[in-house]
Amino acid sequence: QVQVVESGGGLVQPGGSLRLSCAASGSMFRINYMGWYRSAPGNQRELVAAIGSGNSTNYADSVKGRFTISRDNAKNTVYLQMNSLKPEDTAVYYCNTNIVLRTGIVNNYWGQGTQVTVSS
């Protein structure tokens, strides 16, 4: 079985920074894709940032220049560095991974989410 666990959320003032981590564990052959999504109250879940196996990246327009996604393949971990945080960044942030299992089956796995609150 595969488990995905996020950490690093919390309460921060506008203009502050947070670093989120997402670690995948279990019997895996390869991780194709890792990404961060967020869900604010009353809003649908949206893509924040994603990184592929070749380290190509994609960002939502609202976070470009402020957020940076990266991955550590040896640790099966993806990070989201969030700088210059704004109140509108407040949401539950979820990690998503696309993983090839040792059986050859390909599945998406979601973490439980971590709360980020930006407020003065």
Side-chain angles (χ1 to χ4, degrees):
Q1 62 276 12
V2 174
Q3 293 182 324
V4 179
V5 180
E6 304 103 329
S7 62
L11 174 64
V12 65
Q13 294 182 340
S17 298
L18 285 173
R19 189 190 190 215
L20 306 183
S21 299
C22 172
S25 62
S27 182
M28 296 172 287
F29 178 75
R30 183 176 68 248
I31 299 178
N32 290 325
Y33 159 98
M34 305 186 81
W36 287 97
Y37 296 73
R38 67 186 181 187
S39 180
N43 295 336
Q44 295 182 345
R45 186 175 299 183
E46 64 173 347
L47 174 67
V48 178
I51 186 167
S53 60
N55 289 327
S56 61
T57 58
N58 187 47
Y59 297 92
D61 289 339
S62 60
V63 306
K64 287 181 179 178
R66 300 188 298 119
F67 291 10
T68 302
I69 189 171
S70 61
R71 64 190 295 175
D72 185 335
N73 292 332
K75 298 180 179 179
N76 293 326
T77 300
V78 63
Y79 305 95
L80 185 67
Q81 179 66 47
M82 304 185 294
N83 299 325
S84 301
L85 283 163
K86 305 175 181 179
E88 50 263 44
D89 294 319
T90 296
V92 178
Y93 284 70
Y94 298 89
C95 177
N96 178 60
T97 64
N98 184 262
I99 296 174
V100 181
L101 305 179
R102 296 189 184 277
T103 60
I105 297 174
V106 182
N107 283 326
N108 271 23
Y109 296 90
W110 290 90
Q112 80 288 348
T114 184
Q115 177 71 48
V116 172
T117 302
V118 185
S119 177
S120 61

